[in-house]
Amino acid sequence: MLLVVGLGNPGPDYADNRHNIGFMAVDAIHRVHGFSAFRTKFHGQLSDGTIKGRKVLLLKPETYMNESGRAVQAAMTFYKIAPDDVIVLHDELDLAGGKVRVKRGGGHAGHNGLRSVHAHIGDAYARLRLGIGHPGDKQRVIGHVLKDFSKAEKTWLGPLLDAIADNFPRLVTGDDGGFMSKVAAALPKPEPKSEPKPEANPAGNNQTEQTKER
């Protein structure tokens, strides 16, 4: 059994925040793969389904980000799930918007949700890091993650969530590299920058050149 956890904050005020991209990704997986309706359990919203013949649980903790580990631990204890059968989907400041990386084990890099998960179950779980970009100033981080995605960001957000859901079976079977490649290939490519057109010589300049030639 695999436990897939999306990190975020509950309630409509946070629903479209950058910090809630983990919730958004879990909702996309839920929609595409025909999981059961979410129900309240383990301090969160829980759903179950099957992907590639493997039983998968989807969990959205409702403890708020800083206490996410309580919900994760409760579900793991009840179903006797090992840490290496857990995948946590979360926002990642250190990746550009739309970039995705899979990481198994390691530190929490200061992410409060991961910090809580670490405290409750250790660090042996997998993470799906979903890039939201960095505001450039440490003092602006909280405001950045707790604000909604901009109109420009939504041009890649929708395709990203669709690609994660469509290709999630690869992650379930352990094909991390194939998953990342397929997701990257599905995203819209940035438009190439057009070369500036050379300025036409003003008439006065042409006359000057002609005078010089004579």
Side-chain angles (χ1 to χ4, degrees), residues 34-103:
F35 275 62
S36 68
F38 280 106
R39 59 194 185 277
T40 301
K41 201 167 185 180
F42 306 123
H43 313 294
Q45 292 296 310
L46 185 76
S47 174
D48 60 88
T50 303
I51 298 178
K52 286 289 186 180
R54 188 174 187 186
K55 182 70 175 289
V56 178
L57 299 174
L58 300 179
L59 177 66
K60 295 188 294 182
E62 293 188 313
T63 52
Y64 288 93
M65 186 70 78
N66 293 3
E67 294 290 336
S68 300
R70 288 200 294 120
V72 178
Q73 184 182 46
M76 288 175 62
T77 300
F78 183 86
Y79 287 105
K80 297 180 173 58
I81 298 172
D84 56 3
D85 285 324
V86 176
I87 303 176
V88 176
L89 286 58
H90 66 92
D91 58 306
E92 178 56 71
L93 286 164
D94 293 333
L95 289 176
K99 299 294 183 183
V100 171
R101 296 289 183 273
V102 179
K103 178 181 179 182

Side-chain angles (χ1 to χ4, degrees), residues 6-28:
L7 297 188
N9 289 310
D13 291 343
Y14 300 99
D16 295 323
N17 286 182
R18 296 183 181 97
H19 218 18
N20 271 40
I21 193 172
F23 275 12
M24 297 175 195
V26 162
D27 284 339

Side-chain angles (χ1 to χ4, degrees), residues 102-124:
V102 179
K103 178 181 179 182
R104 296 185 182 271
H108 54 66
H111 189 289
N112 286 335
L114 296 185
R115 191 194 307 274
S116 176
V117 175
H118 268 54
H120 285 83
I121 72 167
D123 64 359

